[in-house]
Amino acid sequence: MHILVSNDDGYNARGLEVLVEALRDLAEITVVAPEVNHSGASNSLTLSRPLSVRHAPNGFMYVNGTPSDCVHVALTGLLDRRPDLVVSGINNGANMGDDTLYSGTVAAAAEGYLFGIPSIAFSLVERGWGHLDAAVAFARQLVAHQLSQPLQVTSLLNVNFPNLPENEIKGMRTTRLGKRHPSQPVIRSATPYGETVYWIGPAGDARDATQGTDFDAITQGYVSVTPLRLDLTHHDHIAQVSNWIGPLCS
Ligand code: MN
């Protein structure tokens, strides 16, 4: 068995290092991760310049590009055989609800999924690695389960861990994505030269955190496991849009 591991926090991130250590006895592990933090990179690929792949002393490879670049380059150029699983994380912070659209952690896993490989994104919901050891224990369980009894469908799983000690985590729940309120306003600041600059504000609070959502599972103390799909087509709108453009089609 062979697992490709990436993340969006960068190859030096603790969540990546600890996850890789925990998975070592389950499979051969190859790490290809961004050189620097690319949280919020979404599925971006670098097309304006070539990418360098360098080797860290611990055996990790790092790329001066995005999470999607890392997995893409690994699958199309670096690995001599296809991995059985692509894993991303463990991210420093939640990737729930609408976060998943912006997330570089989810994007790295999504890149594996686009190549037809089962993929899992892991995130610890609070920043600061509070109970990373508990998150890693559950991540290891899920990976071991996928390797020994693979899902019958090729899946992209978005997994979030509550920031709790292992004995306080109640178990795992399969969830749907919740929804967030719009982001909070930008934060204005000034450069030493007097130019006004803007920081993107924090994500909004949960708007749909009802039963069955990832937000609800986390609040209740469960690990949240959401199967994702990448088909953006709004199938329910096809008929209406077709009618609407009808007059323009003659
Ligand atoms: Mn991140």
Side-chain angles (χ1 to χ4, degrees):
M1 289 290 177
H2 183 199
I3 304 175
L4 172 64
V5 186
S6 192
N7 75 348
D8 77 354
D9 295 331
Y11 77 102
N12 273 323
R14 217 174 119 204
L16 173 69
E17 216 174 299
V18 175
L19 176 65
V20 168
E21 277 321 303
L23 301 182
R24 277 211 192 280
D25 64 328
L26 297 178
E28 183 195 334
I29 309 283
T30 304
V31 177
V32 184
E35 182 173 18
V36 295
N37 193 324
H38 271 88
S39 296
S42 192
N43 299 82
S44 56
L45 290 173
T46 302
L47 304 176
S48 55
R49 57 175 174 81
L51 298 165
S52 301
V53 179
R54 302 203 166 90
H55 293 256
N58 66 355
F60 291 7
M61 285 182 266
Y62 60 94
V63 178
N64 58 346
T66 65
S68 299
D69 287 334
C70 292
V71 174
H72 194 95
V73 168
L75 295 178
T76 57
L78 300 177
L79 304 183
D80 45 18
R81 65 195 169 89
R82 205 177 147 84
D84 301 285
L85 182 65
V86 174
V87 162
S88 175
I90 292 174
N91 186 57
N92 187 19
N95 278 307
M96 299 190 286
D98 314 319
D99 303 346
T100 49
L101 280 175
Y102 301 99
S103 168
T105 306
V106 173
E111 194 67 14
Y113 177 70
L114 286 169
F115 279 82
I117 302 166
S119 300
I120 311 177
F122 291 120
S123 304
L124 178 56
V125 299
E126 278 164 49
R127 288 173 198 277
W129 310 124
H131 292 286
L132 182 60
D133 51 340
V136 165
F138 278 94
R140 189 183 185 287
Q141 270 187 41
L142 261 175
V143 168
H145 191 50
Q146 167 65 22
L147 293 179
S148 64
Q149 287 170 262
L151 264 163
Q152 290 304 299
V153 287
T154 301
S155 59
L156 171 59
L157 300 181
N158 184 43
V159 178
N160 282 271
F161 303 106
N163 191 29
L164 294 170
E166 199 175 343
N167 61 358
E168 287 179 30
I169 295 179
K170 291 186 193 149
M172 301 198 200
R173 270 191 184 164
T174 311
T175 57
R176 67 176 192 276
L177 297 181
K179 292 210 175 355
R180 284 195 189 276
H181 286 289
S183 289
Q184 292 172 34
V186 287
I187 295 147
R188 272 188 188 74
S189 175
T191 67
Y193 312 103
E195 187 195 352
T196 303
V197 291
Y198 303 85
W199 286 99
I200 299 285
D205 293 331
R207 175 156 54 96
D208 174 15
T210 52
Q211 203 183 355
T213 61
D214 44 5
F215 292 113
D216 180 57
I218 291 295
T219 307
Q220 307 289 331
Y222 290 87
V223 175
S224 165
V225 180
T226 312
L228 300 181
R229 66 175 168 196
L230 299 178
D231 175 5
L232 294 179
T233 306
H234 201 319
H235 294 274
D236 297 349
H237 286 190
I238 285 181
Q240 251 202 70
V241 172
S242 174
N243 281 338
W244 180 67
I245 63 166
L248 309 179
C249 292
S250 52

